[in-house]
Amino acid sequence: MAGEGDLKLLGMVVSPFVVRVRMALHLKGVSYEYIEQDLFNKGELLLRYNPVHKKVPVLIHNGKPVCESLAIVQYVDEVWAASSPSILPTDPHERAVARFWAAYVDDKFFPAWIGIMRAETEEERAKKMSEMAAVVKQLEVALAQCSNGKDFFSGDSVGYLDIAVGCNLFWLDAMRKMFGVVVIDAARTPFFAAWADRFRESDVGKVALPDADIAAEYAKKIQAHRAAAVASK
Amino acid sequence: MAEPVKLIGCFGSPFVHRVEVALRLKGVPYELIEEDLNNKSDLLLKHNPFHQKVPVLLHGDRPAVCESLIIIEYIDEAFSGPSLLPSDPYERAMARFWAAFMYKCKDSMWIALWTDGEVQAASAREMKANLTLIERQLPEGKKFFGGDTIGFLDIAVGGIAHWMGVFEEIAGVHLLIEEEHPALCRWAREYILDETVGQCLPDRDRVVAALTPRKELYVSIAKAMAAQK
């Protein structure tokens, strides 16, 4: 798009928060330069543009950094407000509800699946799975409330809350391959499971969700890294 | 005819205070319903069955809006009146980033207040470093994060202005020290002196009296946080 200025995204291929931002940029049809970061060896760009947290994603727009994925998504929505679709709903109350559940995703859903991933024994994993079950149940309720019977949290098409949740899906698929666990079970949370299938098949899902195998490979890399760190102590 | 606005809160909560400041700055009349959190009312349980926490905003017949910062953005968008968030998208993103940062600080602040030994010392160092980062966001020569008037980030950080002193007194720990954070301390004084803030700032001694019995609870929460780190 002409006149949008210089846009770069510092990311890491399997970070769900980065995927979330890529989804927002794709929804708006905005082009940008993507720069993959090595999080085991953080480079000068990352340290300069996110000195506080040293994390991805970082959106650099005309040389100015924006950090925190949900802040970035809202920024993209506001700067490219003239391009449809609108990522957040227009009604203030619906926006508040979307923000509430997006915060829930980051506060509860994300740590819950990380817990499953990091579990060191089968017993611990089972415990984490049952904690996750309560969270997934809540998202089933949220979906019913937000979607009003339509295909997505945001209604007829993908929006803020869909990408807030959906950016995590490929990791759930990776964990199914790695551990045989099914986090979003159609038998227990049918609406949410159906939504997940629709999201994966949506344009933004197909374009932006990485392959589950890439996530599984990365998980092995983290594990090896941790083992090496422990061994060297 | 404006739809009624009700705020479910409880005495002494910095999160409820945030919402009251926002409503008052925006010029929105509201009814404050004070909860006793040891004896939650049916109203609270009905409107926030999920978290059962305050603040909860009820605007007309709409379902409740929960989570203080989300409520503030709602207030800014649903009502006319002076803007609470900056109008420039980049400045808005910065305000949201630093408000999120405040949220992330809560663990290190809590551990620094309510634990002891090396765990406490390490968290105190971390919290002070965090206070420095926040302090740097104060615009040069201005009273508030929002400039000449209180804005979203002032409200998000505002808890520090009043409640830090309260918690420090109950815990016997000092985190926000004039010599170490002169600009932030100056900001805190300006915040407390602001007329709108003063209308909904609970009396400090009453807050100390109300929160002191919760010390054991705070300590157990801090220990759990430290164990998770």
Side-chain angles (χ1 to χ4, degrees), chain A residues 50 52-53 64-68 71 74-75 78-79 92-93 95-96 99-101 103-104 107-108 138, chain B residues 50-51 62-67 70 73-74 77-78 89-90 92-94 96-98 101 103-104 133:
Chain A
N50 192 357
V52 172
H53 298 305
K64 297 201 293 190
V66 185
C67 308
E68 290 303 310
Q74 292 182 83
Y75 175 79
E78 291 167 14
V79 170
H93 193 270
R95 290 161 74 88
R99 284 177 177 136
F100 177 88
W101 287 112
Y104 179 78
D107 282 349
K108 301 279 189 250
Q138 279 303 333
Chain B
F50 194 54
H51 289 312
R62 293 172 190 74
V65 182
C66 309
E67 293 303 307
I70 291 175
E73 290 221 46
Y74 175 75
E77 293 170 1
Y90 187 76
R92 291 158 76 83
M94 286 294 100
R96 287 177 179 135
F97 172 85
W98 286 107
F101 179 79
Y103 181 70
K104 288 180 183 179
L133 289 171

Side-chain angles (χ1 to χ4, degrees), chain B residues 112-128:
Chain B
L113 283 166
W114 307 112
T115 61
D116 50 31
E118 183 47 42
V119 167
Q120 186 277 340
S123 275
R125 284 191 294 273
E126 196 183 316
M127 187 59 207
K128 288 185 182 195

Side-chain angles (χ1 to χ4, degrees), chain B residues 146-163:
Chain B
D148 296 315
T149 53
I150 286 178
F152 180 73
L153 189 51
D154 296 279
I155 301 174
V157 183
I160 286 183
H162 195 54
W163 276 267

